[in-house]
Amino acid sequence: MEGMLMSLAFVLPFSEALVSIITVLIFAFSWLIISPKEKYQSFRKTPLPLFPAGIFILYLLWALGAHHPANAIDEIRRNAFWLLIPIAVAYLPLSRKQIDRILYALALGVIISSLVALVRWQFSESIGITDIRDTTLNPHIGHSLLVNFSLSFLLLEIFRYREDSWNMRQISRLAGVLFLLIFDFWLHSLLGLLTLLATFIALSFFTYREIPKRLRKYVWGGAVVLIIIPLALTGRELYRQFHTSMPQPAQVAKFTANGNPYQNDFNKTLRENGHFIYLQICLPELRREWNKRSALKFSDRDANGFPVKSTLIRYLTSMGLTKDSAGVAQLTNDDILAIREGFANCRYVPERMNLSARIYQTIWELDAYRSNGNPNNKSLVQRWAYTRAALSIIAEHPVFGVGTGNEKAAFNEMLSRQNPKLRPANFSHAHNQYLNYLVTFGIVGFAILMFLLIYPLFRVRKLSVLTVFFLLTIGIANLGDDNLQTHTIRTFFALFYTLLVFDFANSAKETAGNFVSNNNHQ
């Protein structure tokens, strides 16, 4: 059974199909290892693992009033893992070393799948990938959470064996930590990085008593630095974008070098890298010069489906060039290719894209929405639209929610009512797990669900630092996305919640390093 659990942990970053198959096999084989009679006795003696399994029952009960039976059945099927994993895993006789090997299997799978993402990026053009975040085999936010957890496990293992000499195992752990940390930044998942920073900061509070007094000032100093870094990066990008003011008409050229008139719109303040988009535009020269250099014509659409004209104007603006023949003449062949592929800013080109550019992209989306009121294809703006819709649905169905299977229809109806400019193709549910649960179950069901997850934490004797990190990571990340709606992260959470909260607390008698004290079981 240990091998099957290791296999499940290993394939989490790779394949949803394999995750499903192995989970079902683990459930089936668990009844061979522990007979139904023994399991029943275990349930009576220690019923805590049944609490997370109760979430599946919650989905069943709330499906009784389903208006969309097919959706309800699909939702029940996808959430069956809340039942399968705790019942299959919680009462297995696993030792601390066996759980460690399962954790190492996860870390190895995450490292290998991250290497696969790097290789995929090297061949991105041939396989049609234009965004680094699309290189992972699972959605990038979920993958970044797996990276964060694996990184924290390896880091804690280094401290756990800090008295040992620096043998190959310690060197391998350190190499894994460094690789995963670098990969986390390379992936450009803002939510993943913010979750990692916030978790480390929160962890310093939760483990305050466990930190030796001589080290506390360094821990708090590190927490302050972690807070300052994202604020400083964001502040720098805000300054670069908005430090200039709209020039006076007399300060802007009215004609190109060829004597053709510019279009200058001083009422539109949208910018690219601090330069105003709607100044110094000469469409005839742009059309003529662009059509000389590209088979994709000026009136066509780029690879992202946007007019080449608008992409070209934004790209030239981002480089601080005039939007005329002189500006196009300064573009390299690589720039022409980037515009054809739909990159509207020179900083978005993959070879130049970095974390600062990712932060800037979010700032630009907000500025563009403020300027034109169009929420489409703007990640953060659309998330706000989904949040508003979720809050409105909750207000209309506060007690019991809309029920299992009815969420999609409720969001579609509310979004079409509140955001007429938002295209139906961009309709989605709230990218916040807690709001999604409130929409589905209402206040009553949400309270039951949170009780099922939180109550066992106060009943086990102790929670390890790794367990606290795990819970904080998921808890914080769920504020920015509905991670438990995805198959991979739902399985990941159910599996390691069971292993770390129940089996880890009751496994071998050996110590596991620093622990966070909790309420006594008695």
Side-chain angles (χ1 to χ4, degrees):
M1 185 59 73
E2 176 195 347
M4 296 180 71
L5 288 170
M6 290 177 64
S7 299
L8 177 58
F10 179 82
V11 302
L12 276 172
F14 287 99
S15 168
E16 290 188 357
L18 284 175
V19 166
S20 297
I21 293 170
I22 296 174
T23 301
V24 172
L25 289 175
I26 289 173
F27 180 78
F29 275 93
S30 71
W31 293 95
L32 297 178
I33 294 174
I34 304 176
S35 68
K37 181 179 179 181
E38 291 175 313
K39 283 207 171 187
Y40 176 71
Q41 292 173 346
S42 298
F43 293 160
R44 292 190 62 184
K45 182 180 178 181
T46 311
L48 288 180
L50 293 179
F51 277 70
I55 295 175
F56 175 72
I57 309 300
L58 201 64
Y59 274 96
L60 281 178
L61 292 175
W62 259 252
L64 295 177
H67 302 302
H68 305 274
N71 291 341
I73 292 172
D74 183 60
E75 195 72 14
I76 290 169
R77 177 187 59 81
R78 292 192 292 113
N79 284 280
F81 289 81
W82 286 113
L83 179 69
L84 298 181
I85 292 176
I87 290 179
V89 177
Y91 299 104
L92 293 174
L94 296 172
S95 68
R96 168 65 196 274
K97 290 183 178 180
Q98 288 176 307
I99 295 174
D100 280 346
R101 286 194 284 267
I102 296 168
L103 288 162
Y104 275 115
L106 172 70
L108 180 62
V110 170
I111 290 172
I112 293 175
S113 63
S114 298
L115 288 170
V116 170
L118 293 173
V119 173
R120 281 162 58 85
W121 186 243
Q122 294 303 311
F123 297 94
S124 58
E125 186 174 345
S126 60
I127 58 181
I129 295 177
T130 59
D131 192 326
I132 284 177
R133 292 170 294 176
D134 294 332
T135 58
T136 56
L137 301 176
N138 276 313
H140 71 278
I141 292 177
H143 189 85
S144 69
L145 297 183
L146 296 179
V147 168
N148 291 350
F149 179 66
S150 300
L151 187 157
S152 68
F153 166 66
L154 293 176
L155 187 61
L156 287 172
E157 285 292 279
I158 290 174
F159 283 102
R160 181 184 175 195
Y161 295 103
R162 62 185 178 275
E163 301 299 332
D164 296 352
S165 58
W166 278 89
N167 52 29
M168 284 304 299
R169 290 185 178 181
Q170 281 289 69
I171 293 173
S172 298
R173 293 181 189 113
L174 180 60
V177 168
L178 293 176
F179 170 75
L180 291 175
L181 185 60
I182 292 170
F183 181 85
D184 226 354
F185 280 91
W186 176 84
L187 189 58
H188 300 156
S189 174
L190 289 184
L191 180 60
L193 288 171
L194 289 174
T195 298
L196 183 64
L197 292 175
T199 302
F200 274 125
I201 293 169
L203 191 65
S204 64
F205 287 94
F206 280 91
T207 61
Y208 177 77
R209 293 181 180 179
E210 305 296 330
I211 302 171
K213 290 184 178 180
R214 59 186 177 84
L215 296 178
R216 287 178 183 175
K217 62 181 179 181
Y218 300 107
V219 172
W220 292 118
V224 171
V225 171
L226 291 177
I227 294 172
I228 290 175
I229 289 174
L231 293 177
L233 289 174
T234 303
R236 185 180 69 171
E237 292 304 322
L238 285 169
Y239 175 78
R240 290 177 63 176
Q241 177 73 341
F242 299 110
H243 75 284
T244 57
S245 57
M246 177 66 73
Q248 297 297 317
Q251 298 173 308
V252 179
K254 294 180 174 58
F255 297 95
T256 70
N258 297 320
N260 294 311
Y262 279 128
Q263 295 178 18
N264 293 312
D265 191 335
F266 295 94
N267 294 318
K268 296 182 179 180
T269 60
L270 192 58
R271 319 167 192 219
E272 290 285 352
N273 298 337
H275 306 291
F276 292 93
I277 293 176
Y278 295 97
L279 299 182
Q280 295 183 291
I281 299 174
C282 182
L283 292 178
E285 290 191 12
L286 282 178
R287 179 182 293 104
R288 183 176 65 251
E289 194 67 27
W290 173 264
N291 287 341
K292 288 180 182 178
R293 300 191 59 181
S294 172
L296 186 70
K297 298 306 179 184
F298 190 73
S299 58
D300 292 338
R301 292 184 176 272
D302 61 32
N304 288 333
F306 294 100
V308 169
K309 175 180 71 173
S310 60
T311 305
L312 173 61
I313 289 173
R314 284 184 57 191
Y315 195 96
L316 288 167
T317 305
S318 73
M319 296 182 68
L321 301 174
T322 53
K323 281 74 78 175
D324 55 17
S325 59
V328 177
Q330 295 184 61
L331 296 177
T332 66
N333 291 335
D334 288 339
D335 290 324
I336 297 294
L337 179 61
I339 294 168
R340 287 165 54 100
E341 291 179 350
F343 297 105
N345 188 302
C346 61
R347 296 179 69 186
Y348 299 165
V349 177
E351 292 77 12
R352 305 167 194 161
M353 189 74 173
N354 54 31
L355 184 59
S356 294
R358 181 72 184 89
I359 294 172
Y360 164 78
Q361 191 176 40
T362 300
I363 293 172
W364 188 89
E365 289 179 355
L366 294 173
D367 189 35
Y369 178 68
R370 180 190 60 83
S371 176
N372 56 34
N374 183 1
N376 292 289
N377 303 306
K378 298 176 179 65
S379 177
L380 192 59
V381 174
Q382 288 183 177
R383 284 171 182 255
W384 171 239
Y386 306 149
T387 299
R388 282 185 58 217
L391 292 172
S392 298
I393 296 170
I394 294 166
E396 292 183 2
H397 307 272
V399 181
F400 295 106
V402 298
T404 304
N406 299 327
E407 309 93 331
K408 183 177 181 180
F411 272 104
N412 289 349
E413 191 277 330
M414 187 61 69
L415 286 168
S416 62
R417 189 197 315 172
Q418 292 184 341
N419 296 274
K421 289 186 177 181
L422 186 65
R423 292 192 289 268
N426 291 326
F427 285 2
S428 183
H429 38 69
H431 287 250
N432 179 305
Q433 189 62 61
Y434 308 108
L435 289 180
N436 273 332
Y437 280 148
L438 282 166
V439 167
T440 302
F441 302 117
I443 296 173
V444 172
F446 180 78
I448 295 172
L449 186 147
M450 296 308 294
F451 174 78
L452 292 172
L453 288 177
I454 294 174
Y455 177 74
L457 305 180
F458 290 93
R459 298 298 294 169
V460 298
R461 292 180 182 274
K462 288 187 177 181
L463 297 177
S464 70
V465 173
L466 181 64
T467 307
V468 175
F469 186 95
F470 167 75
L471 295 170
L472 286 173
T473 294
I474 299 298
I476 293 171
N478 282 345
L479 291 169
D481 207 0
D482 45 357
N483 298 290
L484 299 182
Q485 302 295 109
T486 65
H487 185 51
T488 296
I489 299 303
R490 186 192 301 112
T491 305
F492 163 70
F493 181 76
L495 174 63
F496 286 100
Y497 181 95
T498 304
L499 288 174
L500 297 178
V501 174
F502 302 125
D503 285 327
F504 197 77
N506 301 306
S507 58
K509 295 180 180 179
E510 57 188 302
T511 60
N514 290 333
F515 278 82
V516 180
S517 297
N518 213 322
N519 293 345
N520 291 332
H521 185 68
Q522 289 81 10

